[in-house]
Amino acid sequence: MDALQIGEAQVTRVVEFAGEVGLSTEAFFPGSDPHLWQQASDWLVPDFVGPDGQVRTAVQTWLVRSEGKVVLIDTGLGNDKDRPYVPVWSRYHSDYLAQLAAAGVTPEQVDVVVNTHLHLDHVGWNTRLAGRDWVPTFPNATYLVHRADYEFWDPQGPHTPGFGRGNQNVFEDSVAPVAAAGQLHIWDGEQHRIDGTLTLRLAAGHTPGSAVVDLRSRGEAALFAGDLLHSPLQIAHPDVTSCFCEDPARAAESRLRLLADAADRGALVLPAHFHHRGAARITRTGGDFTVSGWAAHSPQQPMR
C-alpha cells in the first residue's frame, strides 16, 4: 500500500491482486506486433511482462480523500464471487477490507464508489455476502455507474457483450443488489461532477460506458484511466488494444485523447492494472507519447 499527494487530495493504492493471469502478450493484445514487445522488453520486463512473455497485471482500488469525502475508484474482485469462466478469480479471497482499515477507512466511512466500468475486476467489492444474500459493502455510499454500461451489462437487456461469458454473474451479484438498496446513481452524458475536485468523463470503447476520473486540486492533476491502459506499451502505441475491449477502435481513440490531455496538462495517469509502478508522467513530441517518469509514492499513513 502506498500513497500520493495531489494538491489537497490524498490518493492511496489498495492492491488486491498482482501477478500473471495466464495470458501472453499475444493473447492479451491480439494483433499487436511481436517486435514492439521485443523492442520494449528492457523497460517492460519484469514489472509488466514476465520473462516467459506472460502479462503481469494488478487489480487495485484508488482510494481518494477529497473535500472531506472518501471516494473509492473501482472495487476489485470481491470475495466469494462465482466466476466460472475466469478460474483464477473465481471464489477469490483477499484481505481487501483489512487493507482499507489499514488506510484508516471502514466500509461505513466510504461516501462515493466509482465504477469506471462494470467488468468483474472493477465491481467485486461493491457487495459482500451476508448469509445467502449479496448486500452493499459500503452502506452509506453512493455508487456511480454510467447508463450505457448499466444497460449494456444488464442480462435482461438486448445486448450481447463480447466479454459476456467472462462477466457471468457480475451484474446479478455486484450491481443489481446495489440498485435494489437504492444506492446506485446512474449518470448520463459526457461528464458527471463528483465534487469540486473530481469529475467523471465518458471514455467509451473498452465498454460503452467506460469512464475516466479527472482530479484537479491546487494546480495539480491526475487522470484515473480505468482500463484505457493495460500496459505501458500502449502509451507509446495507443493503437494496441486489449482482447477485452468491446469496441477496439473507439477504445484507441479514447486512449489517444487521454494521453494528449495528460501530456498537455501535466496530469499524472493512474491506470487500474499497472503492475508494480502505478502513476505515470506522460510527455509527447508531436504525436508520439512516452513515459517520462513514475510518480514517487510514500509509505501509507492512516488517513484522519
Side-chain angles (χ1 to χ4, degrees), residues 161-248:
F163 187 56
R165 283 173 43 141
N167 230 37
Q168 184 168 315
N169 301 331
V170 170
F171 193 92
E172 293 92 333
D173 62 35
S174 299
V175 181
V178 177
Q183 292 179 235
L184 186 68
H185 178 82
I186 298 174
W187 62 283
D188 293 282
E190 294 296 316
Q191 67 178 39
H192 173 81
R193 178 62 65 93
I194 298 173
D195 60 21
T197 298
L198 298 168
T199 302
L200 271 164
R201 303 190 187 282
L202 181 64
H206 183 64
T207 66
S210 287
V212 167
V213 182
D214 188 341
L215 187 163
R216 305 185 190 204
S217 177
R218 294 282 184 176
E220 298 183 41
L223 292 164
F224 298 86
D227 279 9
L228 286 184
L229 293 162
H230 285 90
S231 169
L233 185 81
Q234 294 174 287
I235 295 171
H237 302 281
D239 57 324
V240 172
T241 304
S242 84
C243 62
F244 304 110
C245 290
E246 296 291 333
D247 187 336

Side-chain angles (χ1 to χ4, degrees), residues 148-164:
D149 246 40
Y150 185 86
E151 294 179 350
F152 185 71
W153 293 105
D154 184 351
Q156 302 303 314
H159 304 286
T160 305
F163 187 56

Side-chain angles (χ1 to χ4, degrees), residues 70-124:
V70 175
V71 180
L72 302 184
I73 301 175
D74 291 325
T75 63
L77 299 164
N79 283 359
D80 307 305
K81 303 292 173 80
D82 186 14
R83 306 290 182 246
Y85 295 101
V86 189
V88 67
W89 291 333
S90 190
R91 303 287 178 174
Y92 193 72
H93 280 266
S94 74
D95 63 350
Y96 180 90
L97 293 182
Q99 290 196 61
L100 284 182
V105 174
T106 67
E108 292 76 17
Q109 292 173 318
V110 175
D111 299 292
V112 178
V113 172
V114 175
N115 293 144
T116 60
H117 60 291
L118 297 183
H119 277 166
L120 76 160
D121 50 339
H122 293 257
V123 301

